[in-house]
Amino acid sequence: WPKARSLWNDRRSGPVMVKLLTRAEIEEFFARLKKHIPDPKTELQYKNPYTLLVAVALSAQATDKSVNKATEPLFKTIDTPEKMLALGVEKLTDAIKTIGLYRGKAKNVIALSEILLEKHGGKVPKDREALQALPGVGRKTANVVLNVAFGEPTIAVDTHIFRVSNRTGLAPGKDVLAVELNLEKRVPKKFKQHAHHWLILHGRYTCVARKPLCPTCVVRDLCNFPDKTKELAAEKPKLKSASTKR
């Protein structure tokens, strides 16, 4: 998990404590993100809850782009635990070798597929505890699956959400769990379903780590970050359109 200092302070010797956003500001914060992206989607490609679980597990310490590159051909034929076990660990390892830590991830995917068949009838459980009992599945992965596959208002905190929450004053915390619990308390109920996606997309394409694109930020005036940029970065990351089912 990311440490608070590396993402909170942006090259400073100590943490930058920012003023907390008020309830009214948080309401406006999410209203603007919703207006900017009315129906946010995960950028990971998937076909069903099982392939989503696999994709999220593979995305640990890897980019969505690299995962999609590997899973696009894989998921065309392998989309159930049964098919994954038939494929086997050697062929799966070869299929995902472009992803970081691929050997360990391949073993985890085979192992979790076995457990899904043995204990859950081949289905992905809708229970956090059961999900986190699967090999290679931590709290963040469980939260993503519960949110995207089953519509639960969970908030999975990754590097981007951790940075945005601390930098803006939305929901500061020293670690990802503290940020998650703070977000659970501070995000208005009506925005919780998509809060994870709004924040991750905002952090990935606007509130980037080294030089945030403050001049084009839709919540610039609400944000309490003291070192807002005044010039655009040399190149703005391009937001790819999301398909209706991924």
Side-chain angles (χ1 to χ4, degrees), residues 195-233:
H196 162 76
H197 290 119
W198 282 319
L199 293 175
I200 195 172
L201 293 173
H202 188 65
R204 183 174 290 166
Y205 297 106
T206 300
C207 195
V208 296
R210 294 197 176 189
K211 192 174 183 181
L213 305 176
C214 300
T216 60
C217 176
V218 296
V219 293
R220 173 187 171 89
D221 58 312
L222 299 173
C223 174
N224 288 323
F225 183 51
D227 296 328
K228 294 185 180 74
T229 56
K230 296 181 180 179
E231 298 177 358
L232 288 175

Side-chain angles (χ1 to χ4, degrees), residues 83-145:
K83 292 177 182 178
M84 188 66 75
L85 291 181
L87 180 68
V89 68
E90 289 187 9
K91 290 184 179 179
L92 175 59
T93 300
D94 185 63
I96 65 170
K97 62 185 178 182
T98 56
I99 302 174
L101 308 175
Y102 66 97
R103 294 184 187 279
K105 291 177 179 179
K107 292 178 180 178
N108 283 336
V109 169
I110 294 298
L112 71 82
S113 297
E114 291 177 341
I115 294 174
L116 289 179
L117 286 171
E118 293 173 1
K119 297 185 177 181
H120 303 286
K123 303 294 184 181
V124 176
K126 299 181 181 181
D127 176 74
R128 180 196 299 280
E129 185 176 345
L131 283 168
Q132 289 189 229
L134 298 172
V137 177
R139 186 179 182 90
K140 184 180 75 170
T141 296
N143 277 340
V144 173
V145 172

Side-chain angles (χ1 to χ4, degrees), residues 148-221:
V148 178
F150 303 121
E152 297 292 331
T154 52
I155 301 176
V157 178
D158 71 344
T159 296
H160 301 298
I161 295 178
F162 183 83
R163 179 176 62 254
V164 171
S165 297
N166 276 294
R167 181 183 275 173
T168 62
L170 172 63
K174 65 180 181 179
D175 54 42
V176 292
L177 180 58
V179 169
E180 179 189 331
L181 297 178
N182 214 352
L183 285 169
E184 289 287 349
K185 295 177 183 177
R186 292 173 60 77
V187 176
K189 184 177 180 179
K190 64 181 179 180
F191 294 122
K192 277 190 177 180
Q193 180 62 47
H194 295 307
H196 162 76
H197 290 119
W198 282 319
L199 293 175
I200 195 172
L201 293 173
H202 188 65
R204 183 174 290 166
Y205 297 106
T206 300
C207 195
V208 296
R210 294 197 176 189
K211 192 174 183 181
L213 305 176
C214 300
T216 60
C217 176
V218 296
V219 293
R220 173 187 171 89
D221 58 312

Side-chain angles (χ1 to χ4, degrees), residues 51 56 58 208 210:
T51 52
V56 180
L58 294 178
V208 296
R210 294 197 176 189

